[in-house]
Amino acid sequence: MDDVQESATSLTADAERLLHELVAPEGRANPYPVYAKLREVAPVFLTGDAAYLTRYDDCQAIIRNPSLGAQSPAWMDVVRPGWRDHPGLRVTHESFVFRDPPDHTRLRRHVSSDFSQSKVRKWHGYIAAATADVIDQIASAGADGGTVDLHEVLATTLPIKVIGKILGVPESDFPALRVPLEGLRLAADGSPADKLPVIDKAGEDLLSYFADLVALRRRQPEGDLVTSLAKVRDTGGGAGQPDDAVLSEEELLQTLTLIFSAAIESMADLLLNGAAALIDFPAQAAALRADPGLTTGAVEEALRYDAPVQAVGRIARGDCEVGGVAIPDGTYLLGFIGAGNRDPERFPEPDVFDITREGPAPLSLSGGAHFCLGAALARLEAAVFFPALAGRFPRLAYAAAPVRRGFALRGFASFPVTVR
Ligand code: HEM
């Protein structure tokens, strides 16, 4: 073996080792130092039928490239035969986040105007009131100097309340929906076989929940999204009768389940990841308190610094090239957007949380055709929450070490704080 081959082999071995470190407990707790090493060793690491990307530009290139595919049902048929027997995998991979055009375009079009910037703005008052309630709840829970688990508070209040209002999910149903939401979250980390029973039950429970709610809204219509989307289904998009080519009954329920789950888990993660950054960088919290005009910067920096969604996948449809590396047809491209957000080429001192930072947009809400449908709503919820938290609790501190959870969806399982 000559020198070139030898160094290529050791590079590959290093990169493989780093990939394993990423999913090990220490890497899950803090993936950023591992990303930094992987970016140095092999920024585009092609191994087997997958390629792993850790540079900003390469991640951006794949999320914006329309010729790359999603992890679609057709792709799942190849890589995971038998997946259609699993309701949890079906509700995930048949929903439009994993569909390619024309289905993706058709399904997204039914809901895109409901989450436009101008439509979302009308929820500002509701979000402000819901946030004030949560902040009061935290204040009274911590009034005696005791510990408050922010994860517990946020998992049962703000994100679910906001999307519940938009969709028309009654608050009285929230507690029962928590278990399937947590179950479906497991699908984000690649739906490991041992978790499939939980994921399947979660998928079934959420689909049947929305089937019941749709039936109720057909009998008692309201001004909410469940009612309006059921109408699209029942009228074939205005043609007068149901038409599966416009929206099937199954797609109706999958779309509602996608929006509901996407709007809660990643949103709670952003609010907690941002709260952690404000505690870890107290001067930034003080700056935000002193100048609410820094709110937009705080939201963008929270999205960049510790992204709730750490990776986005695409499929090469034909041979292509990413970051100077030849990518064979069919390769699964995994863009570690959490790593791209810490690329020193694009963000000087990337490991510093700086709400006055200028620079490119974080990759955290993806881009291209699959740009996060809820981006405007997510930014609004965060823009109301962060200054409220920093403003009301200048002495916010950890009561004990917070417990991290998840990899592809990065958040906290518990977040104990004191507020006095
Ligand atoms: C901070 C919170 C959020 C983060 C970090 C986030 C992140 C993302 C990302 C990275 C994607 C793209 C996946 C891809 O490119 O394959 C995405 C898609 C999506 N998000 Fe969000 N999201 C958030 C909040 C929301 C909210 C509040 C909603 C509510 C409507 C939502 C609904 C969706 C939907 C429906 C898609 C699929 C879009 C498509 O494939 O066309 N998300 N989100």
Side-chain angles (χ1 to χ4, degrees), residues 109-245:
R109 189 181 296 136
H110 295 315
V111 287
S112 47
S113 66
D114 297 283
F115 295 96
S116 66
Q117 192 89 41
S118 54
K119 270 279 182 73
V120 158
R121 230 175 268 132
K122 79 170 191 186
W123 294 108
H124 191 278
Y126 182 81
I127 293 171
T131 305
D133 288 349
V134 170
I135 296 292
D136 286 346
Q137 193 183 326
I138 297 168
S140 60
D144 60 355
T147 298
V148 187
D149 185 342
L150 277 194
H151 170 257
E152 208 41 44
V153 174
L154 287 173
T156 54
T157 54
L158 200 48
I160 194 168
K161 208 171 167 183
V162 174
I163 199 63
K165 181 76 177 170
I166 295 173
L167 286 173
V169 173
E171 288 200 25
S172 53
D173 293 345
F174 290 174
L177 289 164
R178 211 159 146 218
V179 174
L181 281 168
E182 301 256 339
L184 204 59
R185 185 191 168 100
L186 298 169
D189 269 348
S191 308
D194 63 330
K195 299 276 182 337
L196 271 179
V198 178
I199 297 170
D200 284 344
K201 171 110 177 56
E204 279 171 336
D205 289 352
L206 285 168
L207 285 174
S208 80
Y209 173 78
F210 280 110
D212 294 346
L213 188 56
V214 164
L216 176 66
R217 289 288 174 267
R218 281 178 169 141
R219 293 191 303 274
Q220 298 162 14
E222 302 256 353
D224 56 37
L225 189 51
V226 167
T227 303
S228 59
L229 203 55
K231 198 164 172 216
V232 171
R233 160 65 189 157
D234 297 345
T235 64
Q241 60 192 23
D243 179 352
D244 284 359

Side-chain angles (χ1 to χ4, degrees), residues 63 71 96-98 104 108 115 163 258-259 262-264 266-267 270 303 307-309 311-314 337 363-367 369-375 377-378 381:
I63 58 181
Q71 294 147 279
F96 70 71
V97 67
F98 290 123
H104 172 260
R108 186 172 166 134
F115 295 96
I163 199 63
L258 167 68
I259 293 175
I264 295 169
S266 37
M267 196 63 235
L270 175 66
L303 280 165
V309 177
V312 163
R314 296 287 186 269
I337 54 177
L363 299 162
S364 317
L365 297 162
S366 192
H370 291 278
F371 176 60
C372 173
L373 178 84
L377 183 63
E381 285 185 51

Side-chain angles (χ1 to χ4, degrees), residues 58-69:
D58 300 330
C59 291
Q60 191 180 52
I62 68 159
I63 58 181
R64 288 186 172 174
N65 184 344
S67 70
L68 298 175

Side-chain angles (χ1 to χ4, degrees), residues 349-363:
E349 296 191 284
D351 301 326
V352 173
F353 179 74
D354 174 4
I355 66 173
T356 64
R357 183 184 292 274
E358 308 226 331
L363 299 162

